[in-house]
Amino acid sequence: MDTKKMAKVFKALSNPNRLELYLQIVKKQEACYDANCDCLISDIAKSLNIGAPTISHHLKELSNAELIFTERKGKYLVARVNEKMVNEVNELLKLHHGEL
């Protein structure tokens, strides 16, 4: 377990707006999973009532914490959840009785 990496993840998610943005990306990705559509940041930004520069900053923080991947598709920015990181966080938070 890389405690510095995990601390970065938890720090990134400690901001309420950033957490909400991350949860919206997760929700959108889950909704689009079967439909094979993209999670467009422009769609999410409209629902959050946060300015574009702030959204950009939050995306950078989430990306730096390896929670999401972003890519440009034409004029749109698409985000995907880093499922490997989610699995690492889940593993860290699991209760392992008798191991502490």
Side-chain angles (χ1 to χ4, degrees), residues 25-85:
I25 292 168
V26 169
K27 183 178 172 184
K28 183 77 169 169
Q29 182 171 318
E30 287 177 349
C32 287
Y33 186 73
D34 292 330
N36 198 22
C37 62
D38 291 321
C39 176
L40 302 178
I41 296 302
S42 57
D43 292 344
I44 293 172
K46 292 174 192 172
S47 68
L48 292 179
N49 199 23
I50 302 173
T54 305
I55 293 278
S56 180
H57 170 73
H58 289 322
L59 289 171
K60 182 178 178 186
E61 291 295 319
L62 292 171
S63 184
N64 286 342
E66 300 179 40
L67 286 162
I68 63 168
F69 301 112
T70 58
E71 66 177 299
R72 286 246 170 243
K73 287 200 174 181
K75 65 178 185 174
Y76 297 103
L77 185 64
V78 176
R80 288 182 293 114
V81 173
N82 180 355
E83 292 184 28
K84 182 180 178 217
M85 180 58 74

